[in-house]
C-alpha cells in the first residue's frame, strides 16, 4: 500500500553546546536540511529559551522539519515529515547530523497514512473503532 509521506524521528547526541544554543546555527541547519531533502522551504521560525535551548521549525510545502535542543546535554530532538515521493527525508536528517557536528545519532523512519482508504467518507477517532 502506498503511504502519503515519511516521518523521520532523529535524535542527535554529543553535539557542541554552542551550536545547539545558537538560534542562527539552528535556523541555518533547517535551511540545509530542507535543501538536502529537495523540499520547498516556505518559512522558518524559532525561539531561544533562557537560560539555554532553541526550538525551530521549517514550514515546507511538503510538511515540516522541527528541531528542539538541550545544549546542556548535547542533545537535539528532530522531526522531518515530508509528503509525496519527490523528497528525501533521510538526507535532511543527515544534513542536521552534519550541521550539529554529531558523532552519535538515532534515526527512525515511519510511513504515514498507509492505512488510508482511497477516499475517506468520515473522520474516525479512537472511540469509533
Amino acid at each position: 500500500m502506498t503511504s502519503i509521506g515519511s516521518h523521520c524521528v532523529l535524535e542527535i547526541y554529543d553535539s557542541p553546546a554552542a551550536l545547539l544554543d545558537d538560534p542562527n546555527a539552528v535556523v541555518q541547519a533547517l535551511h540545509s536540511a530542507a535543501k538536502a531533502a529537495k523540499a520547498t522551504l516556505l518559512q522558518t521560525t524559532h525561539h531561544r529559551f533562557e537560560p539555554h535551548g532553541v526550538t525551530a521549525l521549517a514550514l515546507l510545502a511538503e510538511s515540516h522539519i522541527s528541531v528542539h535542543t538541550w545544549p546542556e546535554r548535547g542533545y537535539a530532538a528532530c522531526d522531518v515529515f515530508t509528503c509525496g515521493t519527490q523528497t528525501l527525508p533521510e538526507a535532511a536528517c543527515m544534513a542536521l547530523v552534519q550541521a550539529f557536528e554529531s558523532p552519535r545519532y538515532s534515526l527512525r523512519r515511519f510511513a504515514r497514512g498507509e492505512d488510508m482508504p482511497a477516499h475517506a467518507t468520515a473522520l474516525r477517532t479512537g472511540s469509533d473503532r
Side-chain angles (χ1 to χ4, degrees), residues 4-18:
I4 60 169
S6 296
H7 192 154
C8 291
V9 175
L10 173 66
E11 295 186 281
I12 291 177
Y13 303 98
D14 306 323
S15 292

Side-chain angles (χ1 to χ4, degrees), residues 7 23 26 29 61 79 103:
H7 192 154
V26 175
D79 290 288

